[in-house]
């Protein structure tokens, strides 16, 4: 069978058509999987954003509730303190107890001012950062064993 030039053109055209179909199918297959992967990632991102939004709302609700509880606790503490002061002044027979709330208030104000000092990296007097800290004074009484020199 001899192929003439007209038949060769048809064979080349058929092979090119088949190759084009195969290449088109492969491109469609791979681009479709990328779209599916992209779609899955977008869905996961949307779910994660929704979950994050819910968590933020829960945190805001939690802090609001805790703030309310702390304020209620402070009010109850103040009410309890005022009731104790009133009961102590009305029922206590010891005059020192009647004056005690005023003394406590002055002590608290003094503690507040002393607790606000800036931290220091040195000690007053003979503190732990003093060079002579931990060294014993020479005793002039009994003869003690001589200590080796310090370097």
């Amino acid at each position: 069978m001899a192929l003439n030039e007209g038949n060769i053109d048809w064979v080349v055209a058929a092979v090119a058509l088949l190759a084009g179909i195969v290449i088109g199918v492969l491109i469609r297959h791979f681009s479709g999987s990328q779209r599916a992967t992209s779609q899955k990632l977008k869905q996961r991102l949307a779910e994660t954003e929704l979950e994050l939004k819910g968590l933020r709302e829960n945190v805001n609700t939690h802090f609001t509730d805790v703030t309310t509880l702390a304020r209620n606790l402070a009010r109850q503490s103040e009410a309890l303190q005022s009731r104790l002061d009133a009961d102590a002044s009305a029922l206590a027979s010891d005059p020192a107890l009647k004056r005690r709330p005023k003394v406590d208030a002055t002590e608290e104000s003094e503690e507040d001012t002393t607790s606000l000092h800036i931290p220091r990296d040195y000690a007053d007097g003979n503190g732990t950062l003093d060079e002579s800290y931990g060294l014993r004074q020479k005793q002039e009484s009994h003869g003690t064993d001589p200590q080796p020199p310090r370097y």
Side-chain angles (χ1 to χ4, degrees):
M1 275 181 125
L3 293 176
N4 61 16
E5 290 180 17
N7 288 339
I8 292 176
D9 289 339
W10 283 103
V11 171
V12 169
V15 170
L17 180 65
L18 287 174
I21 291 172
V22 169
I23 290 172
V25 168
L26 289 175
I27 289 173
R28 172 79 172 149
H29 174 71
F30 288 121
S31 68
S33 67
Q34 288 177 350
R35 266 191 238 142
T37 303
S38 175
Q39 196 68 13
K40 287 179 185 176
L41 288 175
K42 286 180 183 179
Q43 183 180 1
R44 287 174 68 193
L45 178 63
E47 290 172 357
T48 304
E49 286 177 352
L50 183 63
E51 183 180 348
L52 180 62
K53 183 179 178 182
L55 288 174
R56 283 182 180 161
E57 289 174 2
N58 287 342
V59 167
N60 288 339
T61 304
H62 170 73
F63 281 123
T64 303
D65 293 344
V66 168
T67 303
T68 303
L69 291 172
R71 287 180 183 155
N72 290 340
L73 184 63
R75 270 191 238 119
Q76 290 174 354
S77 174
E78 290 172 3
L80 178 64
Q81 184 65 39
S82 64
R83 181 162 181 181
L84 284 174
D85 293 343
D87 290 346
S89 65
L91 300 175
S93 60
D94 186 11
L97 287 176
K98 290 181 180 181
R99 290 181 296 188
R100 186 174 185 187
K102 295 177 184 175
V103 173
D104 289 343
T106 57
E107 288 176 0
E108 288 177 5
S109 64
E110 290 174 5
E111 289 175 8
D112 290 341
T113 58
T114 59
S115 65
L116 298 177
H117 291 294
I118 298 173
R120 305 178 300 183
D121 61 346
Y122 60 92
D124 292 331
N126 194 11
T128 57
L129 296 178
D130 190 0
E131 289 182 8
S132 62
Y133 178 77
L135 298 177
R136 296 185 183 152
Q137 299 294 332
K138 292 183 180 179
Q139 298 177 354
E140 294 181 15
S141 59
H142 304 279
T144 59
D145 295 336
Q147 297 293 324
R150 290 179 47 144
Y151 298 103

